[in-house]
């Protein structure tokens, strides 16, 4: 189960909160159904001992913040939870924080769905530092976006 908290830093985004929460839950639901998706605990993709299948974690928590250009000057930023940073308020595994800038996303005519998923995948340890990693992440994003659209009508 995923617990997704949404916070609007600017009140103008409060109307997006429920929509983003639903989309993020659908993405996690799909990721849970796909057994082959392993993620890197603590964002260390090269260490096999840190790999876990997402189904092994009973409760995943993320926070998503919606903010404008005055706070975030890009589409999405993800900050995985540091390994030794405790979160006693959560009964489960705290993945980290995602900062979305709906203004920037709209200005650049990008997909809000894609940016939500992109942020989630970064929290799961995916990146685009190397071209093969970028290609893997892009293909996964395309697959998940297409299949969740079919499954949930997103």
């Amino acid at each position: 189960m995923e617990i997704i908290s949404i916070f609007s830093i600017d009140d103008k985004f409060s109307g997006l909160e429920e929509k983003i929460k639903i989309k993020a839950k659908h993405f996690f639901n799909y990721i849970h159904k796909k057994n082959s998706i392993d993620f890197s605990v603590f964002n260390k993709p090269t260490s096999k001992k840190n790999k876990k299948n997402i189904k092994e974690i009973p409760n995943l928590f993320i926070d998503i913040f919606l903010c404008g250009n005055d706070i975030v000057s890009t589409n999405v930023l993800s900050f995985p939870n540091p390994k030794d940073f405790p979160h006693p308020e959560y009964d489960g595994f705290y993945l980290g924080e995602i900062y979305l800038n709906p203004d920037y996303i709209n200005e650049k005519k990008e997909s809000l769905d894609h940016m939500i998923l992109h942020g989630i995948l970064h929290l799961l340890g995916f990146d685009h530092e190397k071209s093969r990693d970028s290609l893997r992440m892009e293909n996964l994003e395309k697959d998940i976006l297409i299949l969740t659209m079919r499954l949930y009508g997103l």
Side-chain angles (χ1 to χ4, degrees), residues 37 43 76 78 114-145:
I37 295 183
N43 211 25
V76 60
S78 297
H114 185 195
M115 292 301 107
I116 296 166
L117 177 58
H118 190 83
I120 289 170
L121 291 178
H122 274 304
L123 292 184
L124 294 175
F126 291 86
D127 66 36
H128 37 79
E129 297 296 317
K130 297 177 183 168
S131 60
R132 77 165 189 249
D133 295 333
S134 181
L135 188 59
R136 180 175 176 236
M137 187 172 180
E138 287 171 17
N139 287 335
L140 184 59
E141 287 171 341
K142 285 178 194 171
D143 289 348
I144 293 173
L145 287 168

Side-chain angles (χ1 to χ4, degrees), residues 48-92:
K48 289 212 184 254
K49 73 176 183 172
N50 285 332
K51 290 274 190 187
K52 285 193 181 281
N53 188 285
I54 197 162
K55 287 187 172 195
E56 296 174 23
I57 308 294
N59 293 321
L60 293 174
F61 295 87
I62 66 168
D63 292 328
I64 300 175
F65 295 88
L66 307 177
C67 34
N69 292 321
D70 55 329
I71 296 175
V72 175
S73 60
T74 189
N75 46 16
V76 60
L77 294 172
S78 297
F79 298 98
N81 187 53
K83 177 182 175 182
D84 297 322
F85 195 87
H87 280 281
E89 71 273 24
Y90 295 117
D91 182 22

Side-chain angles (χ1 to χ4, degrees), residues 20-33:
I20 290 170
K21 187 178 218 172
I22 289 168
K23 288 177 184 279
K25 280 203 167 283
H26 287 316
F27 293 142
F28 272 113
N29 285 342
Y30 175 77
I31 291 167
H32 266 277
K33 287 178 185 176

